[in-house]
Amino acid sequence: MLWLRVPNAFRTLLITGVIYGVVHQLLWTQAFGGAAPSLGGNLAGVLAPSAEGLLFAFLSSPVTGVLVGAGTSMVGWVIAKAVPGFRKH
């Protein structure tokens, strides 16, 4: 992001995080041999298996991707502001 001097670092890395979350979700079955995700610990068995699947499909990976994207974009933004050579001209 800094090397390419993208015009909007926050948006670029946020979109990257969203793509990361979606790809992670799509590859879940490849990584775990088709096993459906499930809650553990105190939450095990609280929700129906279909509800747990929806929870993971629509919240877990995509939200994690957005948070990773937002976090890395904030770090990149701070670095871009702190290092004069990386500022947009």
Side-chain angles (χ1 to χ4, degrees):
M1 184 247 359
L2 295 174
W3 183 51
L4 295 175
R5 298 177 194 248
V6 296
N8 190 333
F10 184 81
R11 181 177 53 201
T12 301
L13 289 172
L14 187 65
I15 290 169
T16 303
V18 169
I19 292 169
Y20 160 77
V22 170
V23 169
H24 179 270
Q25 186 62 38
L26 292 174
L27 296 177
W28 182 275
T29 56
Q30 297 283 328
F32 295 103
S38 61
L39 297 173
N42 293 338
L43 298 174
V46 173
L47 298 174
S50 59
E52 287 184 13
L54 287 174
L55 177 71
F56 277 97
F58 293 108
L59 293 178
S60 178
S61 295
V63 169
T64 300
V66 167
L67 293 176
V68 167
T72 56
S73 65
M74 293 302 278
V75 171
W77 180 80
V78 168
I79 292 171
K81 294 293 182 189
V83 180
F86 289 126
R87 289 189 182 141
K88 185 180 171 187
H89 299 285

